[in-house]
Amino acid sequence: MEPIYIPNLVKAPDRTLSLDVRDRLPGLESLTAVTGRMQVRHQRNYLEVSATAETIITLTCDRCLQQYNHRLKVDTSELIWLDAAADKQDADGPVDRAADGPKNREVGLEDLVEVLHPRGYFYPDGWLYEHLCLSMPHRQLCDRQCPGIQPGPDARESQPLLDRRWASLAGLKIEN
Ligand SMILES: [Zn+2]
């Protein structure tokens, strides 16, 4: 998807641009192209961005460590403020991030673009990528009933530990 020059949005009908999404997003290893729709509306001092999109990605199950396919979906919207003060951020941002190295870039997923310069660009690819990443399941299970790797002797040994913790809690209760 092409970057959108924000001032051009003002000239669009209803100050709105609708985009068909049918792309592979850089950085997102998906089995299928990301498909869906995006809408970017210029609301004078902010952009209203909404999207419904989906793709299929391969995840590794937290329990059995097998790979499985997962349908990743977003149905979301976000307001992005337009502020001329964002200019400095734009100029400094990429340089700082490069200096931080790739590790810090990944942490930066929460660091969503929330302020843009009114005469800057909006990047639909980057926005959608960030929102797809945010919708990744925290708990990755191939199946809710996944029995996981069968517990070995080590796992059984940890059981009494748990019991002891409860026992000390119970002891506290009696003292009170
Ligand atoms: Zn599993």
Side-chain angles (χ1 to χ4, degrees):
M1 287 178 280
E2 294 289 310
I4 297 168
Y5 184 51
I6 293 167
N8 283 349
L9 278 171
V10 182
K11 298 174 208 151
D14 289 333
R15 297 167 162 255
T16 303
L17 206 65
S18 293
L19 306 166
D20 273 319
V21 183
R22 196 170 293 273
D23 288 302
R24 287 190 179 270
L25 295 181
L28 187 74
E29 281 185 36
S30 57
L31 292 179
T32 58
V34 179
T35 57
R37 276 188 84 70
M38 267 183 89
Q39 198 179 61
V40 187
R41 178 169 290 167
H42 198 296
Q43 303 276 38
R44 290 174 201 283
N45 58 344
Y46 64 92
L47 295 183
E48 188 181 344
V49 184
S50 56
T52 55
E54 64 175 61
T55 187
I56 294 173
I57 54 166
T58 302
L59 297 176
T60 302
C61 176
D62 289 339
R63 280 191 199 153
C64 68
L65 306 179
Q66 299 291 315
Q67 291 200 322
Y68 67 102
N69 291 340
H70 174 77
R71 188 176 295 272
L72 192 63
K73 288 187 193 178
V74 286
D75 184 353
T76 187
S77 62
E78 187 184 33
L79 305 182
I80 299 172
W81 299 104
L82 297 176
D83 186 351
D87 212 8
K88 196 178 171 294
Q89 241 180 6
D90 278 356
D92 294 348
V95 179
D96 285 346
R97 270 178 220 161
D100 285 347
K103 254 197 168 165
N104 282 336
R105 271 189 82 117
E106 272 171 49
V107 179
L109 286 179
E110 287 159 22
D111 184 25
L112 298 177
V113 179
E114 283 158 354
V115 184
L116 288 174
H117 193 278
R119 301 192 68 79
Y121 285 86
F122 171 73
Y123 297 91
D125 280 0
W127 187 90
L128 196 54
Y129 170 78
E130 284 170 345
H131 283 267
L132 281 166
C133 288
L134 285 173
S135 70
M136 292 267 189
H138 293 297
R139 199 137 190 251
Q140 299 179 358
L141 295 178
C142 64
D143 187 296
R144 271 180 210 190
Q145 307 298 322
C146 173
I149 297 166
Q150 291 307 304
D154 289 353
R156 262 177 238 131
E157 271 167 28
S158 71
Q159 198 60 34
L161 240 174
L162 193 76
D163 289 345
R164 246 179 277 146
R165 246 179 286 157
W166 280 114
S168 64
L169 266 180
L172 280 175
K173 253 189 179 171
I174 291 158
E175 275 170 36
N176 287 340

mmCIF file of all heavy atoms in Angstrom, residues 61 63-64 142-143 146, ligand 1:
data_model
loop_
_atom_site.group_PDB
_atom_site.id
_atom_site.type_symbol
_atom_site.label_atom_id
_atom_site.label_comp_id
_atom_site.label_asym_id
_atom_site.label_seq_id
_atom_site.Cartn_x
_atom_site.Cartn_y
_atom_site.Cartn_z
ATOM 1 N N CYS A 61 2.714 -23.787 19.483
ATOM 2 C CA CYS A 61 1.868 -24.018 20.660
ATOM 3 C C CYS A 61 2.707 -23.929 21.934
ATOM 4 O O CYS A 61 3.782 -24.530 22.034
ATOM 5 C CB CYS A 61 1.213 -25.386 20.551
ATOM 6 S SG CYS A 61 0.238 -25.842 21.988
ATOM 7 N N ARG A 63 2.027 -25.223 24.726
ATOM 8 C CA ARG A 63 1.999 -26.452 25.521
ATOM 9 C C ARG A 63 2.778 -27.594 24.882
ATOM 10 O O ARG A 63 3.587 -28.241 25.531
ATOM 11 C CB ARG A 63 0.542 -26.908 25.715
ATOM 12 C CG ARG A 63 -0.163 -26.148 26.811
ATOM 13 C CD ARG A 63 -1.474 -26.806 27.127
ATOM 14 N NE ARG A 63 -2.357 -25.890 27.838
ATOM 15 C CZ ARG A 63 -3.664 -25.964 27.811
ATOM 16 N NH1 ARG A 63 -4.260 -26.899 27.095
ATOM 17 N NH2 ARG A 63 -4.399 -25.100 28.477
ATOM 18 N N CYS A 64 2.508 -27.860 23.585
ATOM 19 C CA CYS A 64 3.132 -29.044 22.974
ATOM 20 C C CYS A 64 4.268 -28.669 22.027
ATOM 21 O O CYS A 64 4.948 -29.555 21.510
ATOM 22 C CB CYS A 64 2.084 -29.872 22.249
ATOM 23 S SG CYS A 64 1.411 -29.051 20.794
ATOM 24 N N CYS A 142 -2.497 -24.793 20.220
ATOM 25 C CA CYS A 142 -2.944 -25.408 18.973
ATOM 26 C C CYS A 142 -4.401 -25.833 19.116
ATOM 27 O O CYS A 142 -5.132 -25.913 18.145
ATOM 28 C CB CYS A 142 -2.058 -26.599 18.620
ATOM 29 S SG CYS A 142 -2.137 -27.938 19.812
ATOM 30 N N ASP A 143 -4.811 -26.111 20.359
ATOM 31 C CA ASP A 143 -6.167 -26.548 20.630
ATOM 32 C C ASP A 143 -6.419 -26.309 22.117
ATOM 33 O O ASP A 143 -5.506 -26.459 22.927
ATOM 34 C CB ASP A 143 -6.281 -28.051 20.324
ATOM 35 C CG ASP A 143 -7.713 -28.546 20.409
ATOM 36 O OD1 ASP A 143 -8.290 -28.493 21.521
ATOM 37 O OD2 ASP A 143 -8.244 -28.969 19.391
ATOM 38 N N CYS A 146 -5.426 -29.129 24.118
ATOM 39 C CA CYS A 146 -4.069 -29.646 23.908
ATOM 40 C C CYS A 146 -3.508 -30.189 25.215
ATOM 41 O O CYS A 146 -3.435 -29.465 26.207
ATOM 42 C CB CYS A 146 -3.153 -28.543 23.369
ATOM 43 S SG CYS A 146 -1.426 -29.051 23.290
HETATM 44 ZN ZN ZN B 1 -0.487 -27.952 21.445
#
